[in-house]
Coordinates of all heavy atoms in Angstrom, one line a residue:
M1 N 72.7 58.3 -48.5 CA 71.4 58.1 -48.9 C 70.7 57.4 -47.6 O 71.3 56.4 -47.3 CB 71.3 57.3 -50.1 CG 69.8 57.0 -50.5 SD 69.6 55.8 -51.7 CE 70.2 56.6 -53.2
T2 N 69.6 57.8 -47.4 CA 68.8 57.2 -46.2 C 67.5 56.7 -46.9 O 66.9 57.4 -47.6 CB 68.5 58.2 -45.1 OG1 69.6 58.7 -44.6 CG2 67.8 57.5 -44.0
I3 N 67.2 55.5 -46.5 CA 66.0 54.9 -47.0 C 65.2 54.4 -45.8 O 65.7 53.9 -44.9 CB 66.2 53.5 -47.8 CG1 67.0 54.1 -49.1 CG2 64.9 52.9 -48.3 CD1 67.3 52.9 -50.2
K4 N 63.9 54.8 -45.9 CA 63.1 54.7 -44.7 C 61.8 53.9 -45.1 O 61.2 54.2 -46.0 CB 62.8 56.0 -44.1 CG 61.8 55.9 -42.9 CD 61.6 57.4 -42.3 CE 60.6 57.4 -41.2 NZ 60.3 58.8 -40.9
V5 N 61.4 52.9 -44.4 CA 60.2 52.1 -44.6 C 59.0 52.8 -43.9 O 59.1 53.0 -42.6 CB 60.3 50.7 -44.2 CG1 59.0 50.0 -44.3 CG2 61.4 49.9 -44.9
V6 N 58.1 53.3 -44.7 CA 57.1 54.1 -44.0 C 55.6 53.5 -43.8 O 54.9 53.8 -43.1 CB 56.8 55.6 -44.9 CG1 58.0 56.4 -44.7 CG2 56.3 55.2 -46.2
R7 N 55.6 52.3 -44.5 CA 54.4 51.5 -44.4 C 54.8 50.0 -44.5 O 55.5 49.7 -45.3 CB 53.4 52.0 -45.4 CG 52.1 51.6 -45.1 CD 51.1 52.1 -46.0 NE 50.6 53.5 -45.7 CZ 49.6 54.1 -46.4 NH1 49.2 53.6 -47.6 NH2 49.3 55.3 -46.0
G8 N 54.1 49.2 -43.7 CA 54.5 47.8 -43.8 C 55.5 47.4 -43.0 O 56.2 48.2 -42.3
N9 N 55.7 46.0 -43.0 CA 56.8 45.4 -42.2 C 57.5 44.4 -43.0 O 57.3 43.1 -43.0 CB 56.1 44.7 -40.9 CG 57.1 44.2 -40.0 OD1 58.3 44.8 -40.0 ND2 56.8 43.4 -39.1
P10 N 58.4 44.8 -43.8 CA 59.2 43.9 -44.8 C 60.1 42.9 -44.0 O 60.5 43.3 -43.0 CB 60.0 44.9 -45.7 CG 60.2 46.1 -44.9 CD 59.0 46.2 -44.0
T11 N 60.1 41.9 -44.6 CA 61.1 40.8 -44.1 C 62.5 41.2 -44.4 O 62.7 42.1 -45.3 CB 60.9 39.4 -44.6 OG1 61.1 39.4 -46.0 CG2 59.5 39.0 -44.3
P12 N 63.5 40.7 -43.6 CA 64.9 41.2 -44.0 C 65.3 40.8 -45.5 O 66.0 41.5 -46.2 CB 65.8 40.4 -43.0 CG 64.9 40.1 -41.9 CD 63.5 40.1 -42.4
E13 N 64.7 39.7 -46.1 CA 64.9 39.3 -47.4 C 64.3 40.3 -48.3 O 65.0 40.7 -49.4 CB 64.4 37.9 -47.7 CG 65.2 36.8 -47.0 CD 64.7 36.5 -45.5 OE1 63.6 37.2 -45.1 OE2 65.4 35.9 -44.8
E14 N 63.1 40.7 -48.2 CA 62.4 41.8 -49.0 C 63.2 43.1 -48.9 O 63.3 43.7 -50.0 CB 61.1 41.9 -48.5 CG 60.1 40.8 -48.8 CD 58.7 40.9 -48.1 OE1 58.6 41.7 -47.1 OE2 57.8 40.3 -48.6
L15 N 63.6 43.5 -47.9 CA 64.4 44.7 -47.8 C 65.6 44.6 -48.4 O 66.2 45.5 -49.1 CB 64.5 45.1 -46.1 CG 65.0 46.4 -45.8 CD1 64.1 47.6 -46.4 CD2 65.1 46.6 -44.4
A16 N 66.3 43.5 -48.2 CA 67.6 43.3 -48.9 C 67.5 43.3 -50.5 O 68.2 44.0 -51.3 CB 68.2 42.0 -48.6
A17 N 66.3 42.7 -50.9 CA 66.0 42.8 -52.4 C 65.8 44.1 -52.9 O 66.3 44.5 -53.9 CB 65.0 41.9 -52.7
A18 N 65.0 44.9 -52.2 CA 64.6 46.1 -52.6 C 66.0 47.2 -52.6 O 66.2 47.9 -53.5 CB 63.6 46.9 -51.6
L19 N 66.7 47.0 -51.6 CA 68.0 47.8 -51.6 C 69.1 47.4 -52.7 O 69.7 48.2 -53.2 CB 68.7 47.6 -50.3 CG 68.0 48.4 -49.1 CD1 68.7 48.1 -47.7 CD2 68.0 49.7 -49.2
A20 N 69.0 46.1 -53.1 CA 69.9 45.7 -54.1 C 69.4 46.2 -55.5 O 70.3 46.7 -56.3 CB 69.9 44.0 -54.4
V21 N 68.1 46.4 -55.6 CA 67.6 47.0 -56.9 C 67.9 48.5 -57.0 O 68.4 49.0 -57.9 CB 66.1 46.8 -57.0 CG1 65.4 47.7 -58.2 CG2 65.7 45.4 -57.2
V22 N 67.9 49.2 -55.8 CA 68.0 50.6 -55.6 C 69.6 50.8 -55.9 O 70.0 51.6 -56.7 CB 67.6 51.2 -54.4 CG1 68.2 52.6 -54.1 CG2 66.2 51.2 -54.2
R23 N 70.4 50.0 -55.4 CA 71.8 50.1 -55.6 C 72.3 49.9 -56.9 O 73.1 50.5 -57.5 CB 72.6 49.3 -54.5 CG 72.5 49.7 -53.1 CD 73.4 49.1 -52.2 NE 74.8 49.4 -52.5 CZ 75.9 48.7 -52.0 NH1 75.7 47.7 -51.3 NH2 77.0 49.1 -52.2
A24 N 71.7 48.8 -57.7 CA 71.9 48.6 -59.0 C 71.6 49.7 -59.9 O 72.4 50.1 -60.8 CB 71.4 47.2 -59.3
R25 N 70.4 50.2 -59.6 CA 69.9 51.4 -60.5 C 70.9 52.6 -60.3 O 71.2 53.3 -61.3 CB 68.6 51.8 -60.2 CG 67.5 50.7 -60.5 CD 67.1 50.7 -61.9 NE 66.7 52.0 -62.3 CZ 65.8 52.2 -63.1 NH1 65.2 51.4 -63.8 NH2 65.4 53.4 -63.5
A26 N 71.3 52.8 -59.1 CA 72.2 54.1 -58.7 C 73.5 53.7 -59.5 O 74.2 54.8 -60.1 CB 72.4 54.2 -57.3
A27 N 74.0 52.6 -59.5 CA 75.3 52.3 -60.0 C 75.2 52.4 -61.5 O 76.1 52.8 -62.3 CB 75.9 50.8 -59.6
A28 N 74.2 51.8 -62.2 CA 74.0 52.0 -63.7 C 73.9 53.5 -64.1 O 74.4 53.9 -65.1 CB 72.7 51.2 -64.0
A29 N 73.2 54.2 -63.2 CA 73.0 55.6 -63.6 C 74.4 56.5 -63.4 O 74.6 57.3 -64.3 CB 72.0 56.4 -62.7
S30 N 75.3 56.0 -62.5 CA 76.5 56.8 -62.5 C 77.5 56.2 -63.5 O 78.6 56.9 -63.7 CB 77.0 56.6 -61.0 OG 77.3 55.3 -60.7
A31 N 77.4 55.1 -64.0 CA 78.2 54.5 -65.0 C 78.1 55.2 -66.3 O 79.1 55.2 -67.1 CB 78.1 52.9 -65.1
V32 N 77.0 55.7 -66.7 CA 76.8 56.4 -68.0 C 77.3 57.8 -67.8 O 76.8 58.6 -67.0 CB 75.3 56.3 -68.3 CG1 75.0 57.2 -69.6 CG2 74.8 55.0 -68.4
P33 N 78.3 58.1 -68.7 CA 78.7 59.6 -68.8 C 77.5 60.6 -69.0 O 76.8 60.3 -69.8 CB 79.9 59.6 -69.8 CG 80.0 58.1 -70.2 CD 78.9 57.3 -69.7
S34 N 77.6 61.7 -68.4 CA 76.6 62.6 -68.5 C 76.4 63.2 -69.9 O 75.5 63.6 -70.4 CB 76.6 63.8 -67.4 OG 77.8 64.3 -67.7
G35 N 77.6 63.2 -70.6 CA 77.7 63.9 -72.0 C 77.3 62.9 -73.1 O 77.2 63.3 -74.2
A36 N 77.2 61.6 -72.7 CA 76.9 60.5 -73.7 C 75.5 60.5 -74.1 O 74.7 60.5 -73.3 CB 77.4 59.2 -73.3
P37 N 75.0 60.5 -75.4 CA 73.7 60.3 -75.6 C 73.1 59.0 -75.3 O 73.9 58.0 -75.3 CB 73.6 60.5 -77.2 CG 74.9 60.2 -77.8 CD 75.9 60.5 -76.5
A38 N 71.9 58.9 -74.8 CA 71.3 57.7 -74.5 C 71.1 56.8 -75.8 O 70.9 57.4 -76.7 CB 69.9 58.1 -73.9
P39 N 71.2 55.5 -75.5 CA 71.0 54.7 -76.7 C 69.6 54.7 -77.3 O 68.6 54.8 -76.7 CB 71.2 53.3 -76.2 CG 71.1 53.4 -74.8 CD 71.4 54.8 -74.4
R40 N 69.4 54.8 -78.6 CA 68.1 55.0 -79.2 C 67.4 53.8 -79.3 O 68.1 52.7 -79.7 CB 68.2 55.7 -80.6 CG 68.7 57.1 -80.4 CD 68.6 57.8 -81.7 NE 67.2 57.9 -82.1 CZ 66.8 58.7 -82.9 NH1 67.6 59.4 -83.7 NH2 65.5 58.5 -83.4
D41 N 66.2 53.7 -79.2 CA 65.4 52.5 -79.3 C 65.1 52.5 -80.8 O 64.8 53.4 -81.4 CB 64.1 52.6 -78.5 CG 63.3 51.3 -78.6 OD1 63.8 50.2 -78.8 OD2 62.0 51.4 -78.0
S42 N 65.1 51.1 -81.3 CA 64.7 50.9 -82.7 C 63.2 51.4 -83.1 O 63.2 51.8 -84.3 CB 65.1 49.5 -83.2 OG 64.3 48.7 -82.5
W43 N 62.4 51.4 -82.2 CA 61.1 51.8 -82.4 C 60.9 53.2 -82.8 O 60.2 53.6 -83.7 CB 60.2 51.4 -81.3 CG 58.8 51.8 -81.3 CD1 58.1 53.0 -80.9 CD2 57.9 51.2 -82.2 NE1 57.0 53.0 -81.2 CE2 56.7 52.0 -82.1 CE3 57.8 50.0 -83.0 CZ2 55.4 51.6 -82.6 CZ3 56.6 49.7 -83.5 CH2 55.5 50.5 -83.5
S44 N 61.9 54.0 -82.2 CA 61.8 55.5 -82.5 C 62.7 56.0 -83.6 O 62.8 57.1 -83.9 CB 62.1 56.3 -81.2 OG 63.3 56.1 -80.8
D45 N 63.4 55.0 -84.1 CA 64.4 55.5 -85.3 C 63.6 55.7 -86.6 O 62.9 54.8 -87.1 CB 65.3 54.2 -85.5 CG 66.4 54.4 -86.4 OD1 66.6 55.7 -86.7 OD2 67.1 53.5 -86.9
P46 N 63.8 56.9 -87.1 CA 63.1 57.4 -88.2 C 63.6 56.6 -89.5 O 62.7 56.4 -90.5 CB 63.3 58.8 -88.4 CG 64.4 59.3 -87.4 CD 64.6 58.0 -86.5
S47 N 64.8 56.1 -89.6 CA 65.2 55.3 -90.7 C 64.5 54.0 -90.9 O 64.4 53.4 -91.9 CB 66.8 55.1 -90.6 OG 67.0 54.2 -89.6
R48 N 63.7 53.7 -89.8 CA 63.0 52.3 -89.9 C 61.7 52.6 -90.9 O 61.4 51.5 -91.6 CB 62.3 52.1 -88.6 CG 61.4 51.0 -88.4 CD 60.9 50.8 -87.0 NE 60.1 51.9 -86.4 CZ 58.8 51.9 -86.6 NH1 58.2 50.8 -87.2 NH2 58.0 52.8 -86.1
I49 N 61.3 53.8 -90.9 CA 60.2 54.1 -91.9 C 60.8 54.6 -93.2 O 60.2 54.4 -94.3 CB 59.2 55.1 -91.2 CG1 58.6 54.5 -90.0 CG2 58.1 55.5 -92.2 CD1 57.9 55.4 -89.1
A50 N 61.7 55.4 -93.2 CA 62.3 56.2 -94.5 C 62.9 55.2 -95.4 O 62.9 55.6 -96.6 CB 63.4 57.1 -94.0
G51 N 63.1 54.0 -95.1 CA 63.6 53.1 -96.3 C 62.7 52.6 -97.2 O 62.9 52.2 -98.4
R52 N 61.3 52.8 -97.0 CA 60.1 52.4 -98.0 C 60.0 53.5 -99.0 O 60.3 54.7 -98.8 CB 58.9 52.2 -97.2 CG 59.1 51.0 -96.2 CD 57.6 50.7 -95.8 NE 57.7 50.4 -94.3 CZ 56.9 50.7 -93.5 NH1 55.6 51.2 -93.9 NH2 57.0 50.5 -92.2
R53 N 59.5 52.9 -100.1 CA 59.3 54.0 -101.2 C 58.0 54.7 -100.9 O 57.0 54.0 -100.5 CB 59.2 53.2 -102.5 CG 60.7 52.9 -103.1 CD 60.6 52.4 -104.5 NE 59.5 53.1 -105.2 CZ 58.9 52.6 -106.4 NH1 59.2 51.5 -106.7 NH2 58.1 53.3 -107.0
L54 N 57.9 55.8 -101.3 CA 56.5 56.6 -101.2 C 55.8 56.2 -102.5 O 56.3 56.1 -103.6 CB 56.8 58.0 -101.0 CG 57.4 58.5 -99.7 CD1 57.7 59.9 -99.7 CD2 56.5 58.0 -98.6
P55 N 54.4 56.3 -102.4 CA 53.6 56.2 -103.7 C 53.8 57.2 -104.6 O 53.9 58.4 -104.3 CB 52.1 56.2 -103.2 CG 52.2 56.5 -101.7 CD 53.7 56.6 -101.2
Q56 N 54.0 56.9 -105.9 CA 54.2 57.8 -107.0 C 52.8 58.5 -107.4 O 51.9 57.9 -107.4 CB 54.8 57.1 -108.2 CG 56.2 56.6 -107.8 CD 57.1 57.6 -107.5 OE1 57.3 58.6 -108.1 NE2 57.9 57.4 -106.4
P57 N 52.9 59.7 -107.8 CA 51.6 60.4 -108.2 C 51.1 59.7 -109.5 O 51.9 59.2 -110.3 CB 52.1 61.9 -108.4 CG 53.5 61.9 -108.4 CD 54.0 60.6 -107.8
G58 N 49.8 59.8 -109.6 CA 49.2 59.2 -110.8 C 47.7 59.1 -110.5 O 47.3 59.3 -109.5
P59 N 47.0 58.5 -111.5 CA 45.5 58.4 -111.4 C 45.1 57.3 -110.3 O 44.2 57.6 -109.7 CB 45.1 57.7 -112.7 CG 46.4 57.8 -113.6 CD 47.6 58.1 -112.8
A60 N 46.0 56.5 -110.0 CA 45.6 55.4 -109.0 C 46.4 55.6 -107.6 O 46.5 54.6 -106.8 CB 45.9 54.0 -109.5
A61 N 47.1 56.8 -107.5 CA 47.8 57.0 -106.3 C 47.0 57.0 -104.9 O 47.5 56.6 -103.9 CB 48.5 58.3 -106.4
W62 N 45.8 57.4 -105.0 CA 45.0 57.4 -103.8 C 44.8 55.9 -103.3 O 44.7 55.8 -102.1 CB 43.6 58.0 -104.0 CG 42.7 57.1 -105.0 CD1 42.7 57.2 -106.4 CD2 42.0 56.1 -104.8 NE1 42.0 56.3 -107.0 CE2 41.3 55.5 -106.0 CE3 41.5 55.4 -103.6 CZ2 40.5 54.5 -106.1 CZ3 40.6 54.3 -103.7 CH2 40.1 53.9 -104.9
S63 N 44.8 54.9 -104.1 CA 44.6 53.5 -103.7 C 46.0 53.1 -103.0 O 45.9 51.9 -102.3 CB 44.2 52.7 -104.8 OG 45.1 52.5 -105.7
R64 N 47.1 53.6 -103.2 CA 48.3 53.2 -102.7 C 48.7 54.0 -101.6 O 49.9 53.8 -101.0 CB 49.4 53.2 -103.8 CG 49.1 52.4 -105.1 CD 50.4 52.3 -105.9 NE 50.8 53.6 -106.4 CZ 50.4 54.2 -107.6 NH1 49.9 53.5 -108.3 NH2 50.9 55.4 -108.0
T65 N 47.9 54.8 -101.0 CA 48.4 55.6 -99.9 C 48.3 55.0 -98.6 O 49.0 55.3 -97.7 CB 47.5 56.9 -99.9 OG1 46.1 56.6 -99.7 CG2 47.8 57.9 -101.1
Y66 N 47.5 53.9 -98.5 CA 47.5 53.2 -97.2 C 48.0 51.8 -97.3 O 48.8 51.6 -96.4 CB 45.9 53.2 -96.7 CG 45.9 52.5 -95.4 CD1 46.3 53.1 -94.2 CD2 45.4 51.1 -95.3 CE1 46.2 52.4 -93.0 CE2 45.3 50.6 -94.1 CZ 45.7 51.1 -92.9 OH 45.7 50.6 -91.8
W67 N 47.7 51.1 -98.2 CA 48.1 49.7 -98.2 C 49.6 49.5 -98.7 O 49.8 50.1 -99.8 CB 47.1 48.9 -99.0 CG 45.7 48.9 -98.4 CD1 44.6 49.6 -98.9 CD2 45.3 48.3 -97.3 NE1 43.6 49.4 -98.1 CE2 43.9 48.6 -97.1 CE3 45.9 47.4 -96.4 CZ2 43.2 48.1 -96.0 CZ3 45.2 47.0 -95.2 CH2 43.9 47.3 -95.1
P68 N 50.3 48.8 -98.2 CA 51.7 48.6 -98.7 C 51.8 47.8 -100.0 O 50.8 46.9 -100.2 CB 52.5 47.7 -97.6 CG 51.4 47.4 -96.7 CD 50.2 48.1 -96.9
G69 N 52.6 48.0 -100.8 CA 52.6 47.5 -102.2 C 53.3 46.0 -102.3 O 53.7 45.4 -101.5

């Protein structure tokens, strides 16, 4: 892999820091097996929402469709 600075004049310390980040990212990407699924974020987990009860039908069901009980 060749890395080329196309603009600016980085100090040796800045260049070393940038290369350390690139190498760490490359090592992390190669450490994950390609067949393994990526870890899921809890924000996108559907069971986070599915655990709540849905409003039951009835005369006042419209008032329970938005506000949690």
